[in-house]
Amino acid sequence: MQIRLPGTEELPAPATPEQQELLQTVWNAFASTSEWPTFDWVDRKLDRQGLDAVAALAQLPEGLMRGLPDPSRPVPPDDSVLALTIAGAARCNGSSDVVLLFLALIRVLAETEQKWHAGPGGEKPNLSEHAAIRRLNLMPIEDHTTLLLQQGASVLMIRS
């Protein structure tokens, strides 16, 4: 079940059922493997459902997916990684736990950075998985560990 988070009404949204299915397919792959799928995989999966991934991508509103192809090339290379933004993930069924955890983790990361006192070497702030679990008041159980690993992949996507 998809919950509506406050403020999501202002986020971009898919305009067609095909675009929604594209986002959901990408999300489902990520949720089950903790890795973003390639265009080739998504294209083949949607093709089996009679949907055109290229057409859905071409008209997808900005801000829902990272790794979109160069607009001058309508078909992305097969090995292009398709990754949802947090706005894209928020539009998918089954994503609410990860979206809420991601937002909480971003707040913890911002607080960590604010309170960081770099030494003379100019070290960067860091937050271990165990420290994140403690700061987020999570029990270190498998579900939360999996969610945190997915957050790590999502945070890496933000930095790139």
Side-chain angles (χ1 to χ4, degrees):
M1 181 174 104
Q2 179 63 31
I3 63 167
R4 293 288 172 214
L5 303 171
T8 58
E9 60 279 348
E10 296 178 18
L11 295 176
T16 67
E18 291 79 13
Q19 291 171 358
Q20 179 62 47
E21 188 60 30
L22 170 70
L23 294 178
Q24 192 67 53
T25 298
V26 171
W27 173 257
N28 290 346
F30 178 72
S32 66
T33 66
S34 296
E35 293 182 10
W36 296 110
T38 62
F39 170 72
D40 178 59
W41 186 88
V42 172
D43 185 38
R44 285 184 285 115
K45 181 116 170 122
L46 291 180
D47 188 49
R48 286 191 294 273
Q49 298 175 42
L51 300 175
D52 185 349
V54 173
L57 270 175
Q59 299 300 315
L60 191 67
E62 226 176 283
L64 294 173
M65 187 176 296
R66 298 179 56 85
L68 290 179
D70 178 336
S72 66
R73 292 183 65 188
V75 179
D78 284 348
D79 62 349
S80 292
V81 174
L82 299 181
L84 301 181
T85 63
I86 196 65
R91 297 294 182 184
C92 295
N93 290 324
S95 68
S96 58
D97 287 347
V98 173
V99 170
L100 290 171
L101 183 60
F102 178 84
L103 296 174
L105 182 58
I106 291 298
R107 285 189 291 275
V108 167
L109 291 171
E111 182 182 289
T112 300
E113 185 176 41
Q114 260 183 344
K115 293 178 179 179
W116 184 258
H117 298 289
E123 305 89 20
K124 302 281 186 209
N126 62 46
L127 185 67
S128 71
E129 179 183 326
H130 295 293
I133 288 170
R134 191 175 61 254
R135 299 261 310 270
L136 290 168
N137 296 317
L138 297 175
M139 294 297 293
I141 57 174
E142 185 61 34
D143 288 346
H144 290 117
T145 302
T146 300
L147 289 175
L148 282 172
L149 289 173
Q150 290 176 341
Q151 297 317 308
S154 298
V155 170
L156 287 176
M157 293 304 298
I158 289 172
R159 292 182 186 160
S160 49

